[in-house]
Amino acid sequence: MALDVEDVISGLDPERRRRIEERAAELIPEEMTLRELRRARRLTQASIGRELGTSQDAISRLEKRSDLLLSTLRRTIEAMGGSLSLVARFPDRPPVELAGIAEQDARD
């Protein structure tokens, strides 16, 4: 008989299940869309729009785009209270944070 993972998990002691879930959350890298990130920060499209001097509709369209300028992404992340960094990953070396690319341009 095959084991069902849900049956195994439900049979665990609640404390052990909690520890396993916490560890799994640490191991699973976070990946979110802009919309998911905004919602996780408990912000509305309207509040981000006000911060950026644009409309709620413009934020809705921005969240649906798959190709953004880094400056637009940086401003949006900053409007959420965060900062943007860009990391390059290669198979033969540790990740490298790129300097100067996502930073605010002197013209802004």
Side-chain angles (χ1 to χ4, degrees), residues 7 11 16 24 40 73-74 80 93 108:
D7 291 338
R16 184 164 184 219
L73 181 58
R74 177 190 42 80
M80 292 183 202
R93 63 166 293 145
D108 286 353

Side-chain angles (χ1 to χ4, degrees), residues 75-90:
R75 286 192 304 272
T76 303
I77 296 297
E78 288 175 353
M80 292 183 202
S83 63
L84 180 67
S85 63
L86 192 58
V87 176
R89 289 181 174 77
F90 299 93

Side-chain angles (χ1 to χ4, degrees), residues 12-105:
L12 293 175
D13 171 83
E15 177 61 21
R16 184 164 184 219
R17 187 171 46 235
R18 183 190 62 75
R19 286 194 320 266
I20 290 170
E21 289 170 355
E22 285 177 359
R23 182 67 176 139
E26 291 173 7
L27 294 174
I28 298 170
E30 284 196 38
E31 184 176 294
M32 295 180 161
T33 64
L34 274 178
R35 174 170 288 155
E36 291 165 340
L37 180 58
R38 175 185 51 77
R39 287 178 176 168
R41 302 277 304 152
R42 298 177 192 248
L43 298 167
T44 64
Q45 290 175 338
S47 68
I48 298 297
R50 279 191 299 276
E51 183 73 23
L52 293 173
T54 190
S55 68
Q56 174 273 324
D57 184 57
I59 300 304
S60 177
R61 287 191 312 263
L62 178 100
E63 289 179 345
K64 293 174 186 171
R65 293 188 59 190
S66 61
D67 188 17
L68 296 172
L69 292 173
L70 286 176
S71 59
T72 301
L73 181 58
R74 177 190 42 80
R75 286 192 304 272
T76 303
I77 296 297
E78 288 175 353
M80 292 183 202
S83 63
L84 180 67
S85 63
L86 192 58
V87 176
R89 289 181 174 77
F90 299 93
D92 60 341
R93 63 166 293 145
V96 177
E97 185 169 340
L98 299 174
I101 292 180
E103 295 174 3
Q104 187 165 355
D105 191 8

